[in-house]
Amino acid sequence: MPRRRRGGRVSALEGGREEEAPPAAGAVPSAQWASGRQPEAAAELILLRGIFEIGRDSCDVVLSERALRWQPIRPERLTGDSKYDFLHKEEFVELKDIFSVKLKRRYSIKQQGSGTLLGITLFICLKTEKNKLKDSTLDLINLSEDHCDIWFRQFKKILAGFSNRPKSLKILLNPQSHKKEATQVYYEKVEPLLKIAGIKTDVTITEYEGHALSLLKECELQGFDGVVCVGGDGSASEVAHALLLRAQKNAGLETDSILTPVGAQLPLGVIPAGSTNVLAHSLHGVSHVVTATLHIIMGHIQPVDVCTFSTIGKFLRFGFSAMFGFGGRALAVAENHRWMSPNQRMDFAIMKALAKLKRAQGYPKSDCNNQWQMIQGQFLNVSIMAIPCQCSVAPRGLAPNTRLNNGSMALITARNTSRPEFIKHLKRYASIKNQFNFPFVDTYTVEEVKVCPKSNSSGHHPEEDHGPHETASGNCFPWNVDGDLMQVASEVHVRVHPRLINLYGRSMEEMNDSKVTCSCL
């Protein structure tokens, strides 16, 4: 049955207030389209007003400075019909949640040309449960070419005004991440949304470990609004490290010894396609590909603290978190068994590290109000984290009291204890209980840490192990930095640098910038 042609009435193209607009007082948005608190409609400048079919209703649609509102056109009725009012409440979507607009057309095999115009389709970012975002569409049906053209151009003008949203992105894709699913994740879930948003992309598939680092040192990034990494924590950390190294080089700073680094010049987007996805989970509150993609499309920027890792007189790398002792030892074992599946490899590495669990002698030193405090003794593990390090196995995070940009790090030490007690401590991370409520675990909030080992980390003997990563070659100590293995032969100096890189992520309130002191949590 042919659809009746709707009228093309337009009240105003730009400027002017629509005196005939029905008052919005008392209107309650629907759960599907409402985004937070409803914008005040009375004082807003009305840009356009017209008739569209939405769903199965002919609606009076009003486009204002901040929102698009619609309400079914009411037939004549008795005043005070509360039941009818309830069924025809005003709905709205805020303009900041719209990320694309396209003309909706019907095409047929026999038809030539641009097809039959049906109306306009809006692409919208919606908030759902557990910090997730999803994309949705809203069809505004009207068969008038002139009517739709005016509305379409106005929507395009509004979207062009969101200057923080990227228009061109450099994509770095690690095809080896997790179960080699990164390529499928990108082309099936990420790229279609980027195309809808009209974002141009340049995709490079990395071929080996360190490829992204070497590429970003030299490649031309002018014309790109951001860089996106599709992969796991190791890939994301490598790209962040490369962007920050590039920033130091562009600023003319010596990279052999970095004391006061400058921030990265381009924001980084992280598409989770690894096994743990700690960075993405900490950033978005959930490891979810569509959520991460929509944060990039919407241009949500989150400043994040970054650590520098240095040894005596030499800069090593940038990173977000590190583990020394058990954490480094387990990663060293895992790296030597890459022929296993990711889950099997990590489970095997943890079991083997626990089986050979031995204490390491050393003394972490932390900076407190420009004064160093020394903690000396035997430790099973030392964790230093500038982000919460949330993941599926630790939903509260390995450092739940840390924030993304509060200018401090969590220092967590696990001193010598029995294997059953240490395992109990590890299992607590998977629950909502306090994983630090053990006599052998201490936590501190610090700005700098020096880890000075006195013997081989984890106290293991090379003759007991097999494989290049497991053996302490040249008395090097294994560190786990953002899921990457770092071998260091001497003390390591870790310093946090506030808001050193911008990541595409959820909007958060500004953290208190007051000076952080070193104290036991």
Side-chain angles (χ1 to χ4, degrees):
M1 181 175 180
R3 186 188 302 274
R4 290 186 298 162
R5 186 179 181 87
R6 298 291 179 187
R9 180 172 67 88
V10 178
S11 296
L13 177 59
E14 285 185 305
R17 296 187 183 276
E18 179 55 52
E19 296 180 356
E20 299 178 2
V28 179
S30 71
Q32 180 181 6
W33 296 111
S35 175
R37 184 177 179 181
Q38 182 174 3
E40 295 294 334
E44 285 186 42
L45 185 67
I46 291 179
L47 305 175
L48 291 173
R49 186 173 183 180
I51 299 175
F52 287 94
E53 182 176 313
I54 300 178
R56 297 181 179 180
D57 296 319
S58 294
C59 296
D60 179 18
V61 183
V62 177
L63 177 63
S64 66
E65 296 173 296
R66 295 174 54 195
L68 178 74
R69 293 180 170 81
W70 64 95
Q71 193 170 21
I73 297 175
R74 305 176 181 183
E76 293 185 5
R77 58 181 179 82
L78 297 176
T79 58
D81 189 345
S82 58
K83 180 179 179 180
Y84 190 89
D85 288 339
F86 177 79
L87 295 175
H88 293 78
K89 290 181 179 180
E90 181 184 79
E91 299 184 71
F92 77 94
V93 59
E94 293 189 69
L95 300 185
K96 65 181 180 63
D97 294 329
I98 300 173
F99 65 88
S100 185
V101 57
K102 297 187 182 297
L103 292 173
K104 182 179 179 66
R105 296 183 182 275
R106 180 194 294 122
Y107 297 91
S108 63
I109 298 177
K110 298 181 180 180
Q111 188 177 16
Q112 295 182 350
S114 58
T116 302
L117 178 70
L118 299 179
I120 297 171
T121 297
L122 300 177
F123 295 84
I124 301 165
C125 174
L126 293 179
K127 298 176 183 177
T128 62
E129 79 289 347
K130 296 181 180 179
N131 299 312
K132 288 185 179 179
L133 301 179
K134 72 172 184 178
D135 60 296
S136 186
T137 58
L138 176 66
D139 291 330
L140 308 177
I141 303 300
N142 188 304
L143 306 186
S144 168
E145 291 274 359
D146 293 338
H147 185 62
C148 289
D149 180 66
I150 292 173
W151 281 75
F152 178 76
R153 285 189 288 110
Q154 185 64 51
F155 278 120
K156 294 290 285 186
K157 180 179 179 181
I158 290 169
L159 293 178
F162 294 111
S163 58
N164 60 313
R165 297 182 180 179
K167 299 176 178 60
S168 180
L169 293 170
K170 176 65 181 178
I171 311 291
L172 295 171
L173 192 158
N174 180 5
Q176 300 300 319
S177 289
H178 194 36
K179 300 177 181 178
K180 300 183 179 182
E181 297 173 344
T183 303
Q184 181 181 1
V185 164
Y186 176 75
Y187 286 108
E188 292 185 4
K189 296 183 178 181
V190 180
E191 187 184 59
L193 284 173
L194 297 180
K195 284 185 175 180
I196 289 173
I199 298 175
K200 298 179 181 178
T201 59
D202 181 75
V203 181
T204 297
I205 298 178
T206 58
E207 299 175 359
Y208 53 86
E209 184 178 351
H211 188 188
L213 177 61
S214 60
L215 179 73
L216 289 175
K217 282 183 178 179
E218 305 295 339
C219 76
E220 179 58 59
L221 292 179
Q222 188 174 0
F224 292 109
D225 300 310
V227 176
V228 175
C229 171
V230 186
D233 290 317
S235 301
S237 181
E238 179 183 333
V239 174
H241 172 64
L243 288 174
L244 286 164
L245 276 183
R246 183 185 180 108
Q248 312 318 303
K249 180 180 177 180
N250 292 343
L253 299 179
E254 179 59 52
T255 56
D256 288 338
S257 179
I258 300 176
L259 297 177
T260 309
V262 298
Q265 295 161 323
L266 290 177
L268 170 62
V270 180
I271 302 296
S275 54
T276 54
N277 303 308
V278 165
L279 183 57
H281 202 131
S282 299
L283 183 63
H284 309 306
V286 65
S287 178
H288 188 244
V289 171
V290 172
T291 295
T293 305
L294 287 172
H295 277 303
I296 295 170
I297 290 172
M298 305 303 288
H300 297 160
I301 294 295
Q302 176 64 61
V304 177
D305 299 343
V306 181
C307 302
T308 52
F309 296 84
S310 306
T311 188
I312 300 175
K314 182 182 178 182
F315 170 76
L316 297 173
R317 61 167 295 163
F318 293 98
F320 299 98
S321 65
M323 287 186 286
F324 175 76
F326 172 79
R329 172 83 174 125
L331 180 62
V333 174
E335 286 296 310
N336 200 48
H337 294 79
R338 281 200 163 269
W339 53 271
M340 294 182 175
S341 67
N343 292 337
Q344 288 179 330
R345 182 171 68 241
M346 205 61 234
D347 290 343
F348 170 79
I350 291 173
M351 294 299 294
K352 187 171 182 180
L354 285 172
K356 295 187 176 183
L357 185 65
K358 295 181 180 179
R359 55 189 177 273
Q361 289 186 334
Y363 48 100
K365 297 193 296 185
S366 59
D367 180 31
C368 175
N369 284 335
N370 297 321
Q371 295 180 352
W372 286 96
Q373 295 183 350
M374 182 182 295
I375 314 163
Q376 189 168 2
Q378 297 174 331
F379 301 91
L380 295 177
N381 190 70
V382 176
S383 298
I384 306 166
M385 299 175 173
I387 62 174
C389 292
Q390 295 170 280
C391 60
S392 59
V393 296
R396 294 183 66 240
L398 300 178
N401 296 319
T402 304
R403 298 295 178 263
L404 294 172
N405 56 12
N406 61 350
S408 67
M409 304 177 293
L411 169 61
I412 305 166
T413 62
R415 289 179 278 106
N416 185 33
T417 188
S418 66
R419 184 181 290 108
E421 283 297 299
F422 185 69
I423 293 175
K424 190 183 297 183
H425 160 61
L426 295 179
K427 287 183 175 180
R428 283 273 186 93
Y429 282 103
S431 70
I432 61 174
K433 295 180 180 179
N434 186 357
Q435 59 263 44
F436 307 133
N437 191 24
F438 292 91
F440 58 89
V441 177
D442 295 306
T443 63
Y444 308 87
T445 301
V446 300
E447 294 175 351
E448 294 184 54
V449 177
K450 290 182 181 179
V451 178
C452 312
K454 296 182 67 176
S455 65
N456 192 282
S457 72
S458 298
H460 74 284
H461 301 284
E463 63 270 17
E464 296 177 358
D465 299 317
H466 304 279
H469 294 301
E470 295 179 56
T471 301
S473 176
N475 289 323
C476 284
F477 308 105
W479 283 73
N480 181 338
V481 181
D482 297 335
D484 280 341
L485 184 64
M486 181 177 74
Q487 300 272 10
V488 187
S490 59
E491 77 170 39
V492 174
H493 185 184
V494 187
R495 181 187 287 115
V496 68
H497 302 274
R499 300 167 175 258
L500 202 58
I501 191 170
N502 286 328
L503 301 184
Y504 286 112
R506 62 185 178 191
S507 300
M508 296 175 63
E509 294 182 359
E510 290 294 321
M511 293 293 185
N512 193 331
D513 291 330
S514 60
K515 185 174 178 61
V516 179
T517 59
C518 175
S519 60
C520 185
L521 299 177

